[in-house]
Amino acid sequence: MSSLRRSRLAALGAVLAAGSLALSATPAVAITGGTQVADSDATYAYTAQITIGAHDRGCSAVLVDAEWLLTAASCFAEDPAAPLAVPAGAPTRTTTAVIGRSDLSGTQGAERRVVEIVPRTDRDVVLARLSRPVTNVTPAQLATTAPAAGTELTFAGYGRTKAEWAPLQLHTGTYGVDSTAATSAGVTGKDGSAACMGDAGGPVISGGKLVGLNSQSFQGGCLGIDEAQTSTAGVIARVDDLASWIDEKAGATRIVDFNGDAIEDIAIGDPMATVGGHTTAGLVHVIRGGGKGIAEITQDLDWVAGGAEAGDHFGNHLATVDYNEDGYTDLVVSASEENVGTAVDAGFVDILFGGKDGLGSGPASRHFEQGYGNGSIGGSAPETGDRMGASLTAGTSAEGRPWILIGTPGESAGSLAEAGVAFYVHDDTNISISQDTSNVPGAAEAGDAFGTSVTGDSNFIAIGAPGDAIGGDANAGNLAVLSHKLDADGRPTVITGMDQDDERIGGGAEAGDKFGQALALVAYRPSGAATATDSILAVGSPGESMAAETGGAQQAGAGNVMLIHIGADGTWDYMHALNQGSATDDRSGTIEAGDYEGSSLSAVNTAPRQVGSAATLKVAVGAPGEDLAGVTDAGAIHTFSLLDAAGANDLWIEAGDGDGIPGAPGESDKLGTSIHFTPRNLYAGMPYGPAATGALHVLPFPNAVSGGTSRPATTYQPGQGGLPANGTYFGYSVR
């Protein structure tokens, strides 16, 4: 506790969140003893002004990371007098931030939306995530020692002055430290300086380092305060001891959170479910985190495009991204067998936006259908068998721009049936990528099925064409890699193409390899780099023949996965292969015909800001054709490290082995068909059984990696835990 008595603190003018922020056009006059910051002075460029709601409340803040601000919790509290009662997650009201702009009428710095808040419970502090990184302002550096009594501190903010309600100019003042407590310090403004409403959350600096945030003040001399109140005393919230907390929160990967409550939600597709009597119409179940209920999304809802019809397969593929950058996760969902007019199985895709009450409570959904809307999708015609949305992925680029990639492998190129195409969606437009696109390797041919698989991370995207013939070998397969940087035509820039006849990739292209049938990309930070500039691409070749021993017979369809390192400049190198065990290695499993290892892939980086390691970079590999104990196609999942020897870091997962898949291996269960890896869980869908409805098993991350200590797993299944009893291929897709 500071030397200010508790009774005096209770009387503090209270918190410094301002009311109306209608900006004044009159030049600012700083509080007596304060100083305006000149436009040319970048000393306090990390200071931000935040506006909550329709100018309902305004505060100051400080950039401490390219994506994060520190500010006062009281800015977001419904009752600012109780500043610690702030829920985590998306702000309840639209919140914007201007960073690095000492004159708010100028254009320097950056403007962003605040999309997530992470509160402390022990002081008047929150971290506020920005919609996109700020790259033209240097974040403040935190002090490492508490402010000592008797020292001088500088504070900055955009709050009221002696003469103005809402000045346009950043101003600074000077504090003297009266006393220091565990999470705060008592201060008094010097030379008439005082923190006023609107200064809450602004930086308090000692020796050029951030030591605290403006929190409470008597506001003596501030416009609108009783003239009899002359005290400039106040309290700052200490932040000098928060570096590890900031690093932990800023470095965490985003969760799927459709309602913005900071609790992870799950979307589970059942594309063969019956809806309103229509078989195989398909639906999506949403499990709201924190026990907040279950929702069912079908095309019969008035906010979802189309209507439930037999054979639509709605929910066939899912992806998630905060596409409109409002802090709520949005669900991208395909109905790849949807009929469009007379075009059978043409397919389409929708973005279903999250909101404070979950999916459907945000903006109206956005619909993507060939011949509808703008861009390449609008300029294309739906045709029978296009299967738009047969593969799907989404994410954000390194600069923070959301994107979606839609595979349409059945698309014809002129008379070339099933040549395939992919659509790259960003902002308010979209553009096509095919093997007829300039610089994309290969040429469009019938049956290439370009777009069968799609993947992407913050650096690159990749598109697979497993049906491509290489050197006369049918279905050998290839792929294209592109960056998010748009070329002169507005397309992602082509980086390279790959097939197994490249001398850097072992094996050689062979008929039926289906190289590129499954893909997974993950960004990582290499040693010596400041950020995650590089990527690792995992390429599934499930048709690959492999020998279980040197000189032994080739096992057709054993399957293989190849790892490719892609550098920041787009150059690439083959790393090594991932496959089941042979007589000469220590890998789990046994190479056998028909395992189809690599049919599905999902890669994850648990610590994207740290230098990548064997412990942080993992991939899950599906082997749905695995026979176990005489049971045909029981299936299995094989996890590996992406940066170390395969056998030393792999884990074999099958039903009943204690990792979290219950029961025993069953015939045609095909475990490994549906997998999704996150830093928290491995989601293993079992749409084909043993439950007649299908099921989803959620394995905590330690269960799914070598050396982890198993924890209780969770199973979701129709008819249990509040889920409706109907289900056909429940768990076919999950996000």
Side-chain angles (χ1 to χ4, degrees):
M1 194 68 179
S2 75
S3 61
L4 293 170
R5 296 190 307 275
R6 291 182 185 271
S7 58
R8 190 180 177 199
L9 280 176
L12 278 176
V15 296
L16 307 176
S20 172
L21 280 182
L23 296 180
S24 167
T26 307
V29 178
I31 297 171
T32 303
T35 304
Q36 286 186 356
V37 177
D39 295 351
S40 58
D41 185 354
T43 305
Y44 306 99
Y46 44 65
T47 309
Q49 186 217 44
I50 59 176
T51 304
I52 298 173
H55 297 288
D56 301 328
R57 188 181 296 170
C59 286
S60 301
V62 54
L63 189 74
V64 292
D65 176 270
E67 291 185 70
W68 292 87
L69 301 173
L70 270 182
T71 188
S74 51
C75 297
F76 296 93
E78 290 302 316
D79 178 6
L84 300 183
V86 179
T92 56
R93 286 175 284 184
T94 300
T95 302
T96 56
V98 176
I99 307 102
R101 188 173 298 171
S102 57
D103 181 353
L104 295 175
S105 65
T107 59
Q108 68 269 38
E111 298 181 20
R112 297 289 187 266
R113 183 164 176 171
V114 173
V115 296
E116 179 186 0
I117 54 176
V118 181
R120 294 283 301 191
T121 57
D122 62 346
R123 65 194 78 183
D124 187 17
V125 171
V126 296
L127 268 170
R129 186 197 291 268
L130 301 172
S131 54
R132 297 190 185 188
V134 175
T135 57
N136 58 353
V137 177
T138 302
Q141 292 186 342
L142 263 66
T144 56
T145 57
T151 58
E152 284 192 357
L153 310 174
T154 301
F155 70 91
Y158 292 93
R160 299 180 192 177
T161 67
K162 183 177 182 179
E164 280 194 285
W165 198 267
L168 292 174
Q169 202 80 22
L170 176 67
H171 55 264
T172 64
T174 304
Y175 284 139
V177 179
D178 300 325
S179 63
T180 301
T183 60
S184 63
V187 295
T188 298
K190 303 187 72 172
D191 300 320
S193 296
C196 298
M197 288 189 179
D199 287 328
V204 181
I205 306 298
S206 175
K209 302 291 183 67
L210 181 69
V211 72
L213 305 176
N214 291 322
S215 179
Q216 294 175 292
S217 172
F218 280 107
Q219 304 183 75
C222 299
L223 183 64
I225 299 300
D226 190 334
E227 292 183 3
Q229 176 58 270
T230 60
S231 175
T232 60
V235 174
I236 66 169
R238 282 180 51 194
V239 300
D240 56 274
D241 59 338
L242 297 184
S244 60
W245 176 73
I246 293 170
D247 288 345
E248 175 193 355
K249 300 302 180 183
T253 55
R254 297 194 189 191
I255 63 172
V256 171
D257 185 8
F258 300 124
N259 58 354
D261 64 356
I263 304 173
E264 192 161 27
D265 303 318
I266 308 172
I268 307 167
D270 185 345
M272 303 295 281
T274 297
V275 177
H278 302 291
T279 59
T280 67
L283 57 81
V284 176
H285 297 276
V286 177
I287 313 294
R288 299 190 179 106
K292 296 182 180 179
I294 295 169
E296 189 173 275
I297 301 174
T298 75
Q299 290 181 288
D300 279 347
L301 295 173
D302 58 9
W303 51 275
V304 180
E309 301 165 315
D312 285 347
H313 297 183
F314 179 78
N316 201 21
H317 295 278
L318 304 174
T320 53
V321 64
D322 181 6
Y323 194 79
N324 62 345
E325 299 178 274
D326 64 353
Y328 302 97
T329 304
D330 307 317
L331 181 67
V332 189
V333 55
S334 71
S336 56
E337 273 64 54
E338 178 83 25
N339 297 343
V340 178
T342 59
V344 177
D345 295 345
F348 61 55
V349 171
D350 288 289
I351 306 176
L352 308 180
F353 290 98
K356 64 180 181 179
D357 293 320
L359 293 170
S361 65
S365 61
R366 188 174 298 186
H367 185 62
F368 299 100
E369 173 187 311
Q370 294 187 81
Y372 173 88
N374 65 354
S376 296
I377 295 175
S380 302
E383 299 168 316
T384 292
D386 281 349
R387 299 181 61 239
M388 180 181 180
S391 62
L392 200 60
T393 191
T396 56
S397 66
E399 66 181 4
R401 173 169 52 83
W403 55 267
I404 298 169
L405 189 59
I406 303 171
T408 310
E411 179 80 14
S412 297
S415 61
L416 303 173
E418 297 185 18
V421 69
F423 296 105
Y424 183 81
V425 180
H426 66 94
D427 300 309
D428 291 320
T429 190
N430 59 83
I431 196 158
S432 63
I433 305 166
S434 74
Q435 290 181 301
D436 274 347
T437 299
S438 177
N439 297 323
V440 171
E445 300 168 316
D448 283 350
F450 184 82
T452 292
S453 57
V454 293
T455 187
D457 61 16
S458 58
N459 300 321
F460 305 101
I461 59 173
I463 306 167
D468 206 314
I470 305 297
D473 293 317
N475 297 315
N478 73 357
L479 61 90
V481 179
L482 306 92
S483 79
H484 293 288
K485 181 180 179 181
L486 303 181
D487 64 17
D489 295 324
R491 285 185 174 85
T493 302
V494 177
I495 299 298
T496 189
M498 300 176 193
D499 63 63
Q500 288 193 86
D501 272 354
D502 190 292
E503 62 182 12
R504 287 171 287 183
I505 299 178
E510 299 166 317
D513 282 349
K514 295 191 175 180
F515 177 84
Q517 178 74 28
L519 300 171
L521 253 174
V522 63
Y524 82 102
R525 176 185 168 189
S527 179
T531 59
T533 56
D534 292 21
S535 298
I536 296 176
L537 172 65
V539 185
S541 183
E544 185 88 24
S545 296
M546 305 285 292
E549 57 186 5
T550 302
Q554 293 289 309
Q555 304 297 309
N560 194 20
V561 176
M562 282 140 279
L563 300 184
I564 310 294
H565 168 229
I566 307 175
D569 60 358
T571 58
W572 64 274
D573 292 293
Y574 174 74
M575 297 170 65
H576 57 266
L578 304 175
N579 45 56
Q580 293 190 46
S582 70
T584 58
D585 61 49
D586 58 352
R587 298 174 185 174
S588 301
T590 302
I591 291 173
E592 299 165 320
D595 287 344
Y596 300 117
E597 176 128 334
S599 293
S600 57
L601 295 168
S602 184
V604 64
N605 186 347
T606 63
R609 296 195 176 199
Q610 297 177 16
V611 173
S613 69
T616 61
L617 287 157
K618 301 289 185 179
V619 62
V621 180
E626 178 72 26
D627 298 343
L628 294 168
V631 178
T632 304
D633 292 345
I637 299 171
H638 205 170
T639 69
F640 299 88
S641 166
L642 288 169
L643 280 185
D644 209 343
N649 293 277
D650 71 338
L651 180 72
W652 182 262
I653 300 171
E654 62 182 58
D657 65 358
D659 295 314
I661 309 295
E667 185 170 353
S668 298
D669 286 352
K670 297 183 180 179
L671 174 64
T673 297
S674 169
I675 51 178
H676 178 54
F677 222 169
T678 77
R680 291 156 294 278
N681 299 300
L682 173 65
Y683 295 87
M686 296 188 70
Y688 303 121
T693 58
L696 173 71
H697 306 291
V698 183
L699 282 58
F701 188 84
N703 297 37
V705 297
S706 176
T709 301
S710 289
R711 302 173 185 172
T714 302
T715 292
Y716 295 101
Q717 184 177 320
Q720 298 180 9
L723 282 162
N726 62 303
T728 307
Y729 276 10
F730 182 93
Y732 187 87
S733 55
V734 60
R735 283 297 182 271

